[in-house]
Amino acid sequence: MADIIQLLPDHVANQIAAGEVVQRPASVVKELLENAIDAGATTIKLIIKDAGKTLVQVIDNGKGMSVTDARLSFERHATSKIRTADDLFLLNTKGFRGEALASIAAIAHVELKTKQEHEDVGTCIEIEGSTVNSQEVVVTPKGTSISVKNLFYNIPARRNFLKSNTVETRHIVDEFHRVALAHPNIGFVMFHNGSETFNLPDSNYRQRIVNIFGTKTNEKLVPVDEDTEVLKISGFVGKPEFAKKTRGEQFFFVNDRFIKSAYLNHAIGSAFEGLLKDGAHASYFLNLTVNPQTIDINIHPTKTEIKFDDEHTLYAILRSAVKHSLGQFNIAPVLDFDRDANLDTPYSYQQKGEPSVEIDRSFNPFREEKQFSNSGTSSSSSYKKTPSANWESLYVGLESKGTQTQQDFSEVEFESATKNESIFDNDNQVEKKQSTYQFHNKYIVSTIKSGMLLIDQHRAHQRVLYEDFLKNMTIKEAMSQQLLFPLQLHFSPQEINIINQLKTDLEHTGFIFQTIKEELVEISGVPVSVPESEVSIILEQLINDVENEVPDSNFSPTDLLAKSLAKSLAIKTGQSLTIMEQEHLVNSLFACKEPNVSPTNRTTFVTMTVDELDKKFV
């Protein structure tokens, strides 16, 4: 039988590897930024066009590469980070696999310009689909500039899987945030479609957080600092009152590398237990420093998952450190039985000696005092209350008054009231039948001619609100209620950009924006159905939906806005409804154009015929 196993060509192997390493333009951004950091750069510039689909360029002032290194860097498993397998447990660099550049070059047009400091000229290499088209000498400044153009040009199926520019840009910004937060001592600049998005000078860690998420963030941060033999923790956590519904501001860094860990995230949630509202998530920016020999980074090509030797110890230390910081800065209540109670009173309010109380020792409430009348004679009066007169005296003289009253009323003529005959002989025949019932505060049960109707109240209300909002945004006749005092909300610069994009559609739904500044939004009017206390929650949910929306054939900002508002304002599962509210919801649902499904294409109601019920009792 003929042999059937054969080695794959290099370009095929590179495309297979690219499927793991390069999932979207943000993956390219991450790999290139980490390479620039490993090169010792102090200033890194990121240039993006069309959410990275057209261009991703990273320019750094690192040490650069020689001619041989520049050419060899695009080969698979070629790296300067490790030499032996033991080096995997002594990693001090971001990259070590030697797959990133080879994978990127296999699915894009790549141009590399690099020069070392002591060289007069540099090297320029152009690669297209793992094929080197040219390698020339070029004049370029010290460092490396690498441009990745037309990502997935030779894999159209992968390119079709990419999301909208808004979603892909958000992923790029997330990766940029992670790298920039891990290295506050490096200056970062980001341009998107020719406009400067971020300009982060080198600074301390707190200032880097403020530069990324806005000046309002400064007052939200509580420092965390703990140093043990096993683990060193430094960074900040957010105050409980500033917790958000989304998990956008949660960052773990292990040895300056961003990681994702549900286990460690649970430790933070445990430290905040009892301080957060339901559904709220605390913010944290924590750096963990551990011995490189106690962790394994070589688990996934993205390197965001790490295996720890002793997770339980890290969990306990992290939870205790965060809880200690919350108590130390009076964020969380503490019980200290050894505390001196005198310290609770300011010194200026403390009195020296025993307090003096004035007492009138001659006071006697039962003593009779002499009072002088106008004639000069003295009379005695008592402090005792004089007993009231006999209760029978209250009825003295009522007989004469009653007689007079009867005589007065006898002379008054009253209009005879007409008797209204009922259309029914017996009023008990009129019965108002209840047509709807609420089941487990989740479903509404209604009867129909053929059987029974079971409606999901949350999904049904979403459909009703969704069509109402669409109508308001298209006809532009939404009603708004004015606020007595403008509502001031603080957002990050990225969130302000999203609000600016949706401002027109939001105004059509009933929102009235007084001012939209760099990090501040003032709202003077809200839709009639929106409580003032939920405006910030609704806008946060809307921003999160816009950032994570998966576009389809009929995607539009108006449709997305209507879906998000309907999801936020719809009655929740577990909410009790009156009979009138149940009937109104049922009638409103079947007045919709598409009552069968919710805005997210989920079933709103099911029917069960009498025959189906009969079969249950066979």
Side-chain angles (χ1 to χ4, degrees):
M1 186 175 178
D3 298 332
I4 58 175
I5 297 178
Q6 59 183 354
L7 289 174
L8 291 174
D10 288 341
H11 69 278
V12 177
N14 288 337
Q15 286 192 9
I16 294 174
E20 293 183 340
V21 178
V22 183
Q23 300 173 358
R24 53 179 10 121
S27 305
V28 177
V29 171
K30 173 182 179 294
E31 298 293 343
L32 298 184
L33 289 178
E34 290 182 347
N35 284 343
I37 293 171
D38 290 339
T42 58
T43 302
I44 300 175
K45 183 183 295 185
L46 172 64
I47 301 174
I48 302 294
K49 286 186 179 180
D50 297 333
K53 300 174 183 177
T54 302
L55 172 66
V56 175
Q57 184 177 7
V58 174
I59 305 172
D60 67 71
N61 62 347
K63 56 188 177 183
M65 290 182 284
S66 64
V67 178
T68 304
D69 288 344
R71 178 63 186 86
L72 196 59
S73 64
F74 290 99
E75 297 295 330
R76 291 189 67 206
H77 308 303
T79 180
S80 62
K81 314 298 172 61
I82 61 174
R83 291 288 181 268
T84 63
D86 295 336
D87 293 339
L88 289 173
F89 298 96
L90 296 171
L91 289 172
N92 294 313
T93 58
K94 300 291 184 183
F96 56 88
R97 290 175 175 270
E99 290 182 334
L101 290 182
S103 299
I104 294 171
I107 55 175
H109 299 160
V110 180
E111 181 185 67
L112 171 69
K113 294 181 181 180
T114 183
K115 184 179 83 72
Q116 295 179 326
E117 187 174 7
H118 60 274
E119 297 290 339
D120 295 331
V121 293
T123 304
C124 177
I125 299 178
E126 294 183 0
I127 300 179
E128 180 179 332
S130 297
T131 302
V132 179
N133 291 340
S134 66
Q135 180 172 348
E136 301 173 347
V137 176
V138 69
V139 176
T140 184
K142 173 209 167 188
T144 302
S145 171
I146 181 166
S147 303
V148 179
K149 305 175 183 177
N150 305 322
L151 192 64
F152 297 124
Y153 80 100
N154 53 354
I155 312 179
R158 289 292 300 273
R159 191 174 181 89
N160 293 334
F161 282 132
L162 294 179
K163 307 298 188 298
S164 65
N165 286 354
T166 303
V167 176
E168 295 299 338
T169 301
R170 182 186 66 85
H171 285 288
I172 291 175
V173 171
D174 286 346
E175 293 293 348
F176 182 81
H177 285 173
R178 294 165 182 173
V179 176
L181 285 172
H183 300 275
N185 58 328
I186 300 177
F188 289 89
V189 182
M190 176 178 171
F191 292 89
H192 185 216
N193 291 337
S195 61
E196 185 179 273
T197 307
F198 292 97
N199 190 346
L200 309 175
D202 57 323
S203 58
N204 57 32
Y205 192 45
R206 188 182 192 116
Q207 189 61 43
R208 176 55 58 88
I209 296 173
V210 172
N211 289 338
I212 292 177
F213 296 101
T215 55
K216 189 69 176 178
T217 312
N218 191 32
E219 65 184 61
K220 305 178 184 178
L221 301 179
V222 177
V224 179
D225 193 4
E226 190 70 36
D227 193 356
T228 65
E229 296 180 357
V230 180
L231 172 68
K232 180 180 179 181
I233 304 173
S234 63
F236 302 90
V237 295
K239 295 180 180 179
E241 59 264 29
F242 297 104
K244 295 186 176 182
K245 292 290 184 180
T246 58
R247 299 178 179 269
E249 297 179 359
Q250 295 184 341
F251 296 89
F252 272 127
F253 301 98
V254 175
N255 296 350
D256 295 335
R257 183 190 304 276
F258 173 80
I259 67 161
K260 297 178 180 178
S261 174
Y263 188 67
L264 296 182
N265 180 72
H266 188 273
I268 303 295
S270 179
F272 277 89
E273 186 177 3
L275 299 176
L276 300 177
K277 298 178 182 179
D278 293 338
H281 304 283
S283 302
Y284 54 80
F285 311 87
L286 296 176
N287 296 303
L288 313 181
T289 304
V290 298
N291 187 347
Q293 295 181 346
T294 62
I295 58 176
D296 185 6
I297 306 172
N298 191 24
I299 296 178
H300 194 271
T302 59
K303 310 183 193 74
T304 56
E305 300 178 12
I306 289 183
K307 181 66 177 176
F308 297 95
D309 280 354
D310 190 358
E311 287 186 333
H312 299 288
T313 302
L314 299 183
Y315 182 99
I317 295 175
L318 181 61
R319 179 180 178 272
S320 300
V322 173
K323 205 160 190 176
H324 174 71
S325 294
L326 293 175
Q328 183 180 10
F329 291 91
N330 294 326
I331 304 301
V334 293
L335 287 176
D336 187 0
F337 296 101
D338 298 328
R339 189 178 76 242
D340 187 359
N342 293 328
L343 299 178
D344 294 340
T345 306
Y347 182 77
S348 58
Y349 292 105
Q350 293 182 1
Q351 298 179 355
K352 296 181 179 180
E354 296 181 358
S356 59
V357 180
E358 295 182 1
I359 301 175
D360 185 5
R361 300 185 182 275
S362 63
F363 176 74
N364 185 358
F366 302 101
R367 185 185 63 189
E368 295 184 354
E369 294 182 355
K370 292 184 178 181
Q371 297 181 352
F372 293 89
S373 62
N374 295 334
S375 60
T377 60
S378 63
S379 63
S380 63
S381 64
S382 175
Y383 280 95
K384 289 186 177 180
K385 189 177 290 187
T386 305
S388 58
N390 193 355
W391 61 271
E392 295 178 352
S393 62
L394 297 174
Y395 296 93
V396 176
L398 284 181
E399 294 181 357
S400 60
K401 293 181 180 180
T403 305
Q404 182 65 30
T405 305
Q406 291 177 1
Q407 293 175 357
D408 293 343
F409 279 111
S410 62
E411 299 175 357
V412 178
E413 293 184 0
F414 293 93
E415 182 180 358
S416 60
T418 58
K419 184 177 180 182
N420 294 327
E421 296 292 339
S422 175
I423 58 175
F424 298 101
D425 295 335
N426 188 2
D427 291 341
N428 294 331
Q429 295 178 1
V430 184
E431 296 181 359
K432 185 176 181 181
K433 294 184 179 180
Q434 183 177 346
S435 60
T436 60
Y437 302 88
Q438 194 174 19
F439 181 66
H440 279 216
N441 288 342
K442 183 177 182 180
Y443 301 104
I444 297 176
V445 182
S446 180
T447 57
I448 55 178
K449 187 175 182 180
S450 60
M452 183 176 65
L453 195 67
L454 198 61
I455 302 172
D456 188 309
Q457 64 182 33
H458 178 63
R459 295 180 184 178
H461 199 210
Q462 278 192 55
R463 164 55 63 179
V464 174
L465 293 177
Y466 170 69
E467 294 197 3
D468 285 343
F469 283 129
L470 276 183
K471 181 179 178 181
N472 291 337
M473 283 184 279
T474 53
I475 303 178
K476 305 178 182 179
E477 292 181 355
M479 296 182 63
S480 176
Q481 57 180 351
Q482 296 292 321
L483 301 178
L484 184 60
F485 300 102
L487 188 62
Q488 294 186 351
L489 303 175
H490 295 272
F491 295 97
S492 65
Q494 298 85 1
E495 294 170 340
I496 292 292
N497 291 334
I498 295 177
I499 291 177
N500 278 322
Q501 296 173 8
L502 302 174
K503 179 182 177 183
T504 303
D505 290 329
L506 283 171
E507 288 175 343
H508 293 164
T509 62
F511 284 95
I512 299 177
F513 295 93
Q514 190 167 333
T515 56
I516 299 180
K517 299 180 181 178
E518 186 174 344
E519 298 177 7
L520 177 68
V521 175
E522 286 190 4
I523 299 175
S524 58
V526 296
V528 176
S529 58
V530 177
E532 181 180 351
S533 59
E534 296 186 6
V535 173
S536 60
I537 300 175
I538 292 171
L539 291 181
E540 286 180 9
Q541 183 66 48
L542 173 62
I543 292 170
N544 184 63
D545 290 341
V546 171
E547 291 177 339
N548 294 282
E549 177 66 22
V550 179
D552 49 26
S553 57
N554 56 357
F555 170 78
S556 68
T558 302
D559 183 73
L560 170 60
L561 177 59
K563 286 181 180 178
S564 180
L565 292 176
K567 181 173 65 175
S568 300
L569 295 174
I571 55 177
K572 303 298 186 290
T573 298
Q575 183 174 345
S576 178
L577 302 178
T578 64
I579 298 176
M580 292 183 63
E581 290 173 339
Q582 298 171 24
E583 293 178 351
H584 178 71
L585 179 58
V586 173
N587 295 333
S588 300
L589 174 64
F590 289 101
C592 294
K593 295 181 179 178
E594 295 183 13
N596 298 331
V597 293
S598 69
T600 54
N601 291 325
R602 294 187 176 184
T603 304
T604 56
F605 67 88
V606 293
T607 57
M608 185 172 289
T609 62
V610 177
D611 294 337
E612 292 174 344
L613 287 173
D614 292 339
K615 292 179 182 178
K616 301 291 183 182
F617 294 94
V618 174

